Amino acid sequence: MSQTVDRALSILPLLAEGPADLGQVADRLGVHKSTALRLLRTLHEHGLVYRQSDQRYRLGARLFALAQEAMENLDVREIAHPHLVRLNESCGHTVHLAVYEENEVLYIDKVESRYPVRMYSRIGKPVAITVAAVAKLLLADLPEHERRAVAEKLDYPAYTARSTPSATAFLRELEKVREQGWATDLGGHEESINCVAAPIRGADGRVVAAMSVSAPNVVVTADELLTLLPLVRRTADAISGEYSGRTPVKGTE
Amino acid sequence: MSQTVDRALSILPLLAEGPADLGQVADRLGVHKSTALRLLRTLHEHGLVYRQSDQRYRLGARLFALAQEAMENLDVREIAHPHLVRLNESCGHTVHLAVYEENEVLYIDKVESRYPVRMYSRIGKPVAITVAAVAKLLLADLPEHERRAVAEKLDYPAYTARSTPSATAFLRELEKVREQGWATDLGGHEESINCVAAPIRGADGRVVAAMSVSAPNVVVTADELLTLLPLVRRTADAISGEYSGRTPVKGTE
DNA sequence: CAGGGGTGTTGCACTGTCTGCAACATTCAT
DNA sequence: ATGAATGTTGCAGACAGTGCAACACCCCTG
């Protein structure tokens, strides 16, 4: 692996925290200012880094464009979207779509609740991996050793009293989820919010994404939310069918 | 500028076109496969590149997370301020910066008029949302259903004879503002005060803030104030460019 | 206005890191 | 099996990246 590139790329997350000047960047990289300058220049030429009027550096527009493209390359998203919208129309709650990648679970699509009380989340934001229903489904599908490895590397923050407390508890939960083919999060992240989720599978049966419906207690109780499970699973299966090319897609051509 | 980093970064736009395997990447970079491999590995470790199941590389989800985090940590106010000051220096009138948040429009920055007659307003104070020029711009950019929902929930106080009288009138005005890309308030809040305003947009084109120039009749007439419109819009555009990190690259070499 | 501390920038010699090569590993067809 | 793809590793040599020190340039303060 390349030292120079490694250093250069380390600058990006650093700048994501907020603008920084040359000295700060050099310090946090542990290199000489002149070195940092040259790295920043290179990043700048590629548009990943931008220099604002006070001379400080921040992430540049090119990065946003790339992120956009990366998103568009995820074709599950494209296929799933109309289904998510339809589900949202029929139940009214917030619908999420998430994928697993490199020890993280990320929301890649979201359809907002039609109720005034909304839950906070944002596309691109990493999910609370130890408690979210979608995360459970995605991790439960990993090969056994990998699953164990990931579970043991994670932190288990106690967001609420119902948060997953430890790696062993998490692995047990994953086993359960794996068998039943769906997952829930009942107040594990935020006291008053519940989710039910179902997996989306590719042609080989592997889970490629997971979707969930979330709603706060004040709108529907956990039990009421659970009655939506069949609908959520049907939707996920429909997406799976289309994604794996089993279901003929009606429409153009 | 750094050759290694340059090469590594050139991989990103290349992958943005679609997934590619090691050979393709090496070819298009004009380097040996082993070199390309090491670069890709480094990118991979930083999550910027993801290796899909068929071993081909594509852009990684970490790009999102970065872009997303950068957006959240960006402070419009900080970026806009020097521009507002410059505008104030060239026209002399009061300049405001405002954002929309939770059904309210708030002033978040202000540069005072240099004329003795000043208008009353305060940073952090909610704006007269149904009449202020900045409010019109911010609301005009909301998705249609949300805009309608907000408009119908509002009160329409008759500050003056020219105040917006009703939700339907307001929605009509928002439609107009949306199309022309700028807004005015001619005596809608206080009989003798006029404003012209322009929107500030983020990388995705959404309006993130709005700025205005305000002056009382006794200093300049409404028509005279309107001649400042191009200048106001240029300033807003400059801020937009800087905020979204896409202002033309100035400087070195 | 001189002086001092804070930036960012440049030229240069050295060294350490990146490079390309060639051999190896692995998978897939045939 | 055999061959042709692909991805991977170790190595020696070369050159690109590094840190240094000197410079340029503010913006203060006395």
Side-chain angles (χ1 to χ4, degrees):
Chain A
M1 145 186 113
S2 157
Q3 184 190 69
T4 317
V5 178
D6 186 45
R7 285 173 171 171
L9 297 183
S10 305
I11 294 178
L12 299 178
L14 194 156
L15 290 185
E17 294 170 20
D21 64 26
L22 182 60
Q24 297 171 312
V25 173
D27 281 353
R28 291 200 44 186
L29 282 186
V31 299
H32 196 93
K33 280 188 308 178
S34 59
T35 305
L37 177 68
R38 282 179 290 240
L39 296 177
L40 281 165
R41 269 229 260 271
T42 312
L43 289 168
H44 182 104
E45 261 164 41
H46 285 259
L48 297 185
V49 144
Y50 171 71
R51 193 144 200 208
Q52 42 186 34
S53 42
D54 59 357
Q55 294 226 100
R56 290 191 306 165
Y57 294 92
R58 23 165 296 230
L59 296 185
R62 200 74 225 293
L63 191 94
F64 298 93
L66 282 173
Q68 191 70 27
E69 300 213 44
M71 170 99 108
E72 279 162 16
N73 283 354
L74 299 172
D75 41 20
V76 211
R77 183 170 177 268
E78 225 172 293
I79 292 172
H81 192 76
H83 295 271
L84 305 184
V85 170
R86 221 169 307 133
L87 178 56
N88 166 269
E89 278 164 3
S90 82
C91 74
H93 305 300
T94 301
V95 180
H96 278 110
L97 182 70
V99 294
Y100 171 78
E101 199 175 302
E102 311 285 332
N103 304 324
E104 280 187 340
V105 173
L106 299 170
Y107 289 128
I108 59 169
D109 201 4
K110 175 184 185 182
V111 185
E112 288 279 4
S113 166
R114 295 202 319 267
Y115 295 94
V117 186
R118 288 187 188 166
M119 94 183 247
Y120 176 73
S121 73
R122 234 167 107 180
I123 296 179
K125 213 176 139 73
V127 172
I129 198 169
T130 59
V131 294
V134 286
K136 293 175 186 170
L137 284 163
L138 291 163
L139 293 178
D141 187 63
L142 294 178
E144 209 266 331
H145 62 280
E146 200 172 337
R147 200 188 325 158
R148 183 172 302 274
V150 172
E152 271 156 18
K153 249 194 322 210
L154 292 175
D155 287 330
Y156 292 85
Y159 304 108
T160 75
R162 287 160 141 186
S163 298
T164 311
S166 66
T168 46
F170 194 43
L171 284 168
R172 213 179 313 123
E173 171 78 359
L174 291 186
E175 200 51 59
K176 190 185 105 194
V177 164
R178 194 180 164 76
E179 285 184 10
Q180 71 191 7
W182 51 274
T184 59
D185 162 24
L186 303 176
H189 186 43
E190 290 184 43
E191 205 55 80
S192 64
I193 292 186
N194 304 309
C195 312
V196 333
I200 292 160
R201 298 174 188 277
D204 54 0
R206 295 284 312 271
V207 174
V208 296
M211 56 173 294
S212 69
V213 169
S214 315
N217 271 325
V218 295
V219 176
V220 288
T221 66
D223 286 344
E224 284 165 347
L225 188 63
L226 273 173
T227 64
L228 288 175
L229 178 60
L231 178 59
V232 175
R233 296 186 78 178
R234 268 205 307 282
T235 306
D237 290 346
I239 298 169
S240 300
E242 199 172 316
Y243 179 73
S244 58
R246 260 196 297 278
T247 313
V249 188
K250 50 203 165 185
T252 47
E253 66 181 332
Chain B
M1 130 175 131
S2 159
Q3 183 189 68
T4 317
V5 178
D6 187 44
R7 285 174 171 170
L9 297 182
S10 305
I11 293 178
L12 297 178
L14 193 156
L15 290 184
E17 295 169 19
D21 62 27
L22 181 61
Q24 297 172 310
V25 171
D27 280 355
R28 292 202 41 188
L29 282 187
V31 300
H32 195 93
K33 281 186 309 179
S34 59
T35 307
L37 177 68
R38 282 179 289 242
L39 297 177
L40 281 165
R41 269 227 260 272
T42 313
L43 289 168
H44 181 98
E45 260 163 42
H46 286 259
L48 298 185
V49 145
Y50 176 69
R51 192 141 200 208
Q52 42 187 36
S53 39
D54 61 354
Q55 295 225 101
R56 292 191 307 166
Y57 295 91
R58 63 167 184 71
L59 293 183
R62 195 82 228 291
L63 275 171
F64 277 133
L66 278 178
Q68 223 43 264
E69 195 187 338
M71 298 270 248
E72 287 182 17
N73 290 333
L74 253 198
D75 192 2
V76 211
R77 201 191 116 129
E78 207 183 320
I79 291 172
H81 192 77
H83 295 271
L84 304 185
V85 170
R86 221 169 306 134
L87 177 57
N88 166 269
E89 277 163 2
S90 83
C91 75
H93 304 300
T94 301
V95 179
H96 278 110
L97 182 70
V99 295
Y100 171 78
E101 210 169 86
E102 308 273 339
N103 303 323
E104 279 188 342
V105 172
L106 301 170
Y107 288 128
I108 59 170
D109 200 6
K110 175 182 184 182
V111 185
E112 288 281 4
S113 167
R114 295 202 320 267
Y115 295 94
V117 187
R118 290 190 185 161
M119 91 182 248
Y120 177 71
S121 73
R122 237 179 66 202
I123 296 178
K125 202 177 134 90
V127 172
I129 198 169
T130 59
V131 294
V134 286
K136 292 175 187 171
L137 284 163
L138 290 163
L139 294 178
D141 187 63
L142 294 178
E144 209 266 331
H145 63 277
E146 201 171 337
R147 201 187 328 158
R148 183 171 302 274
V150 172
E152 271 156 18
K153 251 195 319 210
L154 291 175
D155 289 331
Y156 291 84
Y159 305 107
T160 75
R162 288 160 140 186
S163 297
T164 312
S166 67
T168 47
F170 193 43
L171 284 168
R172 211 178 314 121
E173 171 77 359
L174 291 187
E175 199 52 58
K176 191 185 104 195
V177 163
R178 193 180 164 76
E179 284 185 10
Q180 70 191 7
W182 52 274
T184 58
D185 161 25
L186 303 176
H189 185 44
E190 290 182 43
E191 207 52 83
S192 65
I193 292 187
N194 304 311
C195 312
V196 331
I200 291 159
R201 298 173 189 277
D204 55 0
R206 294 286 310 270
V207 174
V208 296
M211 56 174 293
S212 68
V213 168
S214 315
N217 271 325
V218 294
V219 177
V220 287
T221 66
D223 284 345
E224 284 165 347
L225 189 62
L226 271 174
T227 63
L228 289 176
L229 177 59
L231 179 59
V232 175
R233 295 185 80 180
R234 266 205 307 281
T235 305
D237 289 346
I239 298 169
S240 300
E242 195 169 333
Y243 180 77
S244 57
R246 75 166 113 70
T247 310
V249 187
K250 39 119 187 256
T252 48
E253 313 161 275

